[in-house]
Amino acid sequence: SQTIHQWPATLVQPVGSPLSLECTVEGTSNPNLYWYRQAAGRGLQLLFYSVGIGQISSEVPQNLSASRPQDRQFILSSKKLLLSDSGFYLCAWSVIAGRPQHFGDGTRLSIL
Amino acid sequence: SQELEQSPQSLIVQEGKNLTINCTSSKTLYGLYWYKQKYGEGLIFLMMLQKGGEEKSHEKITAKLDEKKQQSSLHITASQPSHAGIYLCGEQGAQKLVFGQGTRLTINP
């Protein structure tokens, strides 16, 4: 069966520090991968998605970037965190577009 | 872009009662997903609806998509504490899902 792992579960970072969140999927090949952010009191916002290695689509211009160095690995990064980057970050995968997405347990990011 | 409106935003019901959550779109839905999220956790896929008039059930949760494919409802029968959480509907786009704001469900004993 397929599983998705996301880490760390929680992270507290100072403003201006770098960020790296990692997501890996097991049990499937060439999945579509997604990064979402859920800010307090707001819905899920799609940040990036990827349909293959090295292919990244950005939905919202911002202080973040994403990379897919391997087929089942998706990384969310920032060079300098802003206070507004605080939130709950979720990684998800699907077999293809149009099929259900399956989510990781999320990373709660607090910026001080 | 298409927006999904969920109602109510929050709902408090007594254990054992039935409840309904609605998800409305201004345009035709070509794929409607229901997810559940417990606080601080990821989303759990519940059901996907694609055809007008389609209805699916999972345990005590039933979801329907209306004939015009612009509204979906999620109905829980005889609610239990395990049903508490945030319910989100999502609409399938070309490559992504667009979610509603969610409905926070609280079950009181």
Side-chain angles (χ1 to χ4, degrees), chain A residues 60-72:
Chain A
V60 182
Q62 59 208 325
N63 187 41
L64 302 169
S65 63
S67 62
R68 186 171 177 173
Q70 300 181 40
D71 181 40
R72 292 168 290 175

Side-chain angles (χ1 to χ4, degrees), chain A residues 34 38 43 59 88 98 101 104, chain B residues 33 35 37 41-42 96 101:
Chain A
Y34 308 84
Q38 189 176 36
E59 287 294 301
F88 191 53
Q101 292 182 18
Chain B
Y33 296 78
Y35 285 84
Q37 181 183 29
E41 298 181 12
K96 61 185 182 181
Q101 292 294 313

Side-chain angles (χ1 to χ4, degrees), chain B residues 30-94:
Chain B
Y30 290 100
L32 191 284
Y33 296 78
W34 282 102
Y35 285 84
K36 178 187 175 184
Q37 181 183 29
K38 291 194 173 183
Y39 179 75
E41 298 181 12
L43 277 67
I44 298 171
F45 169 70
L46 296 176
M47 281 169 278
M48 175 184 175
L49 304 167
Q50 289 184 298
K51 300 177 182 178
E54 187 175 10
E55 178 176 321
K56 289 186 178 179
S57 294
H58 174 69
E59 298 178 344
K60 294 187 177 182
I61 301 176
T62 300
K64 301 178 184 179
L65 183 62
D66 73 342
E67 289 290 344
K68 291 184 177 181
K69 296 172 64 175
Q70 287 188 273
Q71 183 169 351
S72 178
S73 60
L74 185 86
H75 184 78
I76 299 177
T77 303
S79 58
Q80 301 170 353
S82 61
H83 288 130
I86 299 172
Y87 289 82
L88 297 106
C89 62
E91 186 254 342
Q92 180 65 53

Side-chain angles (χ1 to χ4, degrees), chain A residues 32-52:
Chain A
N32 281 11
L33 297 171
Y34 308 84
W35 277 112
Y36 290 87
R37 177 169 59 201
Q38 189 176 36
R42 301 175 66 178
L44 263 71
Q45 180 186 37
L46 179 65
L47 302 176
F48 302 94
Y49 69 90
S50 172
V51 299

Side-chain angles (χ1 to χ4, degrees), chain A residues 11-21 37 63-64 77-86 89 109-112:
Chain A
L11 191 59
V12 180
Q13 292 283 97
V15 170
S17 63
L19 173 73
S20 180
L21 302 181
R37 177 169 59 201
N63 187 41
L64 302 169
S77 305
S78 174
K79 292 182 179 179
K80 287 186 178 181
L81 286 167
L82 306 172
L83 283 173
S84 58
D85 291 324
S86 293
Y89 289 81
L109 175 63
S110 299
I111 310 298
L112 303 180

Side-chain angles (χ1 to χ4, degrees), chain B residues 88-105:
Chain B
L88 297 106
C89 62
E91 186 254 342
Q92 180 65 53
Q95 287 286 350
K96 61 185 182 181
L97 289 179
V98 176
F99 287 92
Q101 292 294 313
T103 295
R104 182 178 295 273
L105 174 63

